[in-house]
Amino acid sequence: MSAPALSSVAALPLRRWGLDVAAVIVLLVASAIGFWPTFAGGSFLGAAIGGALIGIAIAVVAAWRRWGILIIAGLTVAAYFVFGGALALPHTAIGGFIPSLETLQQLAVGVVTSWKQMLTTVAPVSGSDGHFLVPFLLLLVASVVTASLALRLTQPAWALLPAGALLAAVIALGTPETAMPLVQGAVFALASIAWLAVRQIWAPQNAAVSVSEIDPSRANHMRMRRLLAGGAVLAVAAGAGIATSAFTAPTEVRHVLRDTIIPPFNVRDYPSALQAFRGHVRDNKEATLFTVRGLPEGARVRIAAMDEFDGQVINVVDGGPGTSSAFSPIRSNMSPNAEGLPVTLEFDIGDYSDVWVPQAGLVSEFRFAGGDAEALRRGTYYSSGSSTAVATTGLRKGDSYAVQTTIPAEVTDEQLADADFGAVRMPKNDNVPEELSTLAGEITAEAETPVEQTQAIADYLSEEGFFSHGLEGEVISRAGHTSERISTLIGSDQMIGDDEQYAVAMTLLAGELGIPARVVMGFYPDEKDAGAASFAATGDALHAWVEVNFDGFGWVPFDPTPPEDQVPNDQNTKPRADPKPQVLQPPPPPQEPVDLPPTLPDDREAEDESLNIAAIIGAILAIGGISLAIIALIASPFIVIGAWKASRRRARRSADHTADRIAGGWDELTDRAVDYGARLTPGATRGEEAVLVSDSLAVPTVTALADRADAEVFGPHDPSQEDVDAFWKEVDEIVVGLGSEAGFWKRMKARLSLRSLLGGSAIQSGFQGLKDAATARVRREPGTIDTGTTEAPESETS
């Protein structure tokens, strides 16, 4: 019978370790699943699970070898740098798994910066940007701590603390969108309960009778009953939770760190891009604003898409998080489902200076270069719904960047013949001229399909209108696109304007019919230059057009602007000259020279600088003095306590009689013992105090020291100064020993303790000193009998 019992006992730790490791893996994976919406899939699982397995392996080996926390920490740091390249930064590693210098640099810096980078990048984030570092590092550290606690402690419930902290961290670093919250929470809770229950069954901690002391058949029966009962409880709990989840699910959006850490961005802080249209046409007609290489034939460079009209301007709209028009910091996978021709465009900024970033198509990634690359990367926002990019720092001459984008295929009217308008949410236009509603109905009266309605509006404006920028030598055409300007355009005998007015007019006309339309401003080359290797965008190549959304096709461009050679024939539309008769004006009277104020001395700037330096030094001294005063105020209680104890020590050490100095040394020892937790009985003799101190603090030498103090104090002669110094030296050695045996916090607590100052020890030492002095004087007065004993009489020690 002994052999089977021994084998069962030997197998128990291995079985328990297997259970602990399996439970830790389930808990960690259940927590890591929360990153699914952040990465829009399971691309992060390799880094997360890899980090978890490495951490568990470190914990298992360390528990088997009984290594301490320093070795575990060293192994964790080494594993982070050795495996971090393969699991978190494979695009920087040699061959995808050997760490390079760039890998090690990013791993070292990523410990601090990876969290902010992921939180300031709107989900879904991409692992190619280094964001796999967060799940890898989290799971590595959490697995080491969780598995170590589970394997080393008799109460595994402590291991749930780091596992729960990991779950909370994943939620906080994630997105408002949940990843199977019911399944994730149920798995975490059920795994925790089942793990603790099985561990309790295998190794009961509080049972009055051990299961091993019961009959084996009965013990197995009891274990089976516990397992079945625990399983039934878990099943009922899981079923109840699933059944009630539909009724108890929160209706509000979950708030995470990403909502508060992402820098606030408001596109309304920047003027409408269309307001600069006439300025570019007039002032930069031949100036090269920027150059783009790789633009396919038929593609257009976009500056901004605008769809909200307030009566003054038409502007870019930001619908906020979760909407198609939301702006977010740029990342490397902004248009993952784009269809069309993938191209890479290279932009070099010339005379263009604005916050609106030229680009084309459906952009997936911006890659900035040059000295301002990092500032532009951090300060650029992109709206995939409107295909508009904003650089908050602004573009300037010399900036360059590459755009990875997809150019949608051109759509013909035949393809749109049966297409309906897209179900997109458009902002409501305000202060629209009233006559546009009637005009829109008249224009589209005979149109039957959505594309015919749209084309009818575009044809009406382009065929009935005339083109003019209003520049020198052209027919008058006022800039702007306010309600008054559009009303004047539509209500005049001849419609005269350029892309700015016609694009806005078509958008407003379409909006009156519920057609989803928006204005786009951008550049594209002439037909003769289309398809060239490089396109130099000038003010003469600036245009504005209209995009209308069709179901299944997205935003389709329309050009309502009349051709540039379609100008009005009636010259009366030009301003008539109304010359005034020339009148010879008398010459102006001579003016006396103005007395200029005296110039300031040259040394004034030096004086200002010296004053500024003096002010800076004064401010630094003031701040330093205030800081020192605050520190002194905070530390004043501790300073007072230390000074009080030091003063008592000096008074005892420098007493008038050497016998009092010996007694003071003993009092110093008992005070320190009281501070370290010893409890002395009031009225006790030195021998009794020595016993109490020895029992409380395990200092056996104090008994001999107490006898020596009594001998010196009650002896026939006063002790010499050498005896006093030797006694105090021994006292100090015992006090130092008390501090070395105690921990840091207990030692600090003893130094700041008031027990020896305010408790009974202080009063007792005072009475003891008076009694010792009286006894010593009696023994040393002339005429007294010296018995030669070193002990006090019975009447004196009672």
Side-chain angles (χ1 to χ4, degrees), residues 185-412:
V187 170
F188 190 93
L190 295 180
S192 302
I193 297 173
W195 177 36
L196 298 180
V198 174
R199 278 286 300 269
Q200 183 67 20
I201 293 172
W202 284 357
Q205 301 296 325
N206 300 320
V209 179
S210 176
V211 176
S212 61
E213 299 177 3
I214 307 176
D215 181 70
S217 61
R218 185 182 175 188
N220 292 331
H221 178 68
M222 292 175 61
R223 292 192 182 97
M224 184 58 63
R225 287 183 59 186
R226 290 183 180 179
L227 288 174
L228 293 176
V233 171
L234 293 178
V236 172
I242 294 173
T244 59
S245 62
F247 305 99
T248 60
T251 57
E252 296 183 358
V253 178
R254 180 173 66 177
H255 296 283
V256 294
L257 291 177
R258 189 181 303 273
D259 298 332
T260 58
I261 293 182
I262 289 182
F265 172 79
N266 186 3
V267 72
R268 293 301 183 86
D269 293 339
Y270 309 98
S272 170
L274 197 59
Q275 290 181 276
F277 184 89
R278 190 65 66 88
H280 283 306
V281 171
R282 180 186 65 246
D283 301 331
N284 300 312
K285 183 177 180 61
E286 299 180 358
T288 300
L289 299 175
F290 60 85
T291 303
V292 55
R293 295 182 295 276
L295 188 68
E297 184 176 359
R300 302 183 179 189
V301 176
R302 306 168 64 89
I303 297 297
M306 297 148 283
D307 50 8
E308 186 176 45
F309 184 76
D310 61 3
Q312 295 297 320
V313 295
I314 190 167
N315 214 331
V316 181
V317 68
D318 184 355
T323 63
S324 61
S325 58
F327 279 83
S328 62
I330 59 174
R331 55 188 188 277
S332 61
N333 59 342
M334 293 181 291
S335 301
N337 300 321
E339 296 181 358
L341 176 65
V343 296
T344 299
L345 307 179
E346 297 179 357
F347 288 83
D348 294 320
I349 303 300
D351 293 334
Y352 182 80
S353 177
D354 208 336
V355 297
W356 307 100
V357 181
Q359 32 78 34
L362 304 174
V363 178
S364 296
E365 182 180 6
F366 286 93
R367 294 192 296 270
F368 292 96
D372 297 334
E374 184 63 18
L376 288 171
R377 186 188 70 81
R378 292 184 177 276
T380 301
Y381 294 78
Y382 181 74
S383 170
S384 57
S386 62
S387 298
T388 302
V390 179
T392 57
T393 58
L395 294 173
R396 56 184 56 88
K397 190 171 185 177
D399 291 335
S400 61
Y401 57 94
V403 177
Q404 188 70 37
T405 185
T406 301
I407 306 298
E410 294 186 11
V411 182
T412 63

Side-chain angles (χ1 to χ4, degrees), residues 109-198:
V109 176
V111 175
V112 179
T113 62
S114 60
W115 319 95
K116 180 181 178 181
Q117 289 179 358
M118 192 175 79
L119 288 175
T120 54
T121 302
V122 174
V125 301
S126 173
S128 60
D129 293 335
H131 296 307
F132 285 156
L133 197 59
V134 173
F136 171 72
L137 180 57
L138 267 181
L139 269 294
L140 175 64
V141 175
S143 60
V144 170
V145 178
T146 304
S148 297
L149 294 178
L151 295 173
R152 291 170 179 256
L153 300 181
T154 57
Q155 293 293 340
W158 291 102
L160 295 179
L161 294 179
L166 172 65
L167 179 62
V170 171
I171 294 175
L173 295 171
T175 64
E177 179 185 356
T178 57
M180 299 178 290
L182 179 61
V183 176
Q184 187 182 17
V187 170
F188 190 93
L190 295 180
S192 302
I193 297 173
W195 177 36
L196 298 180
V198 174

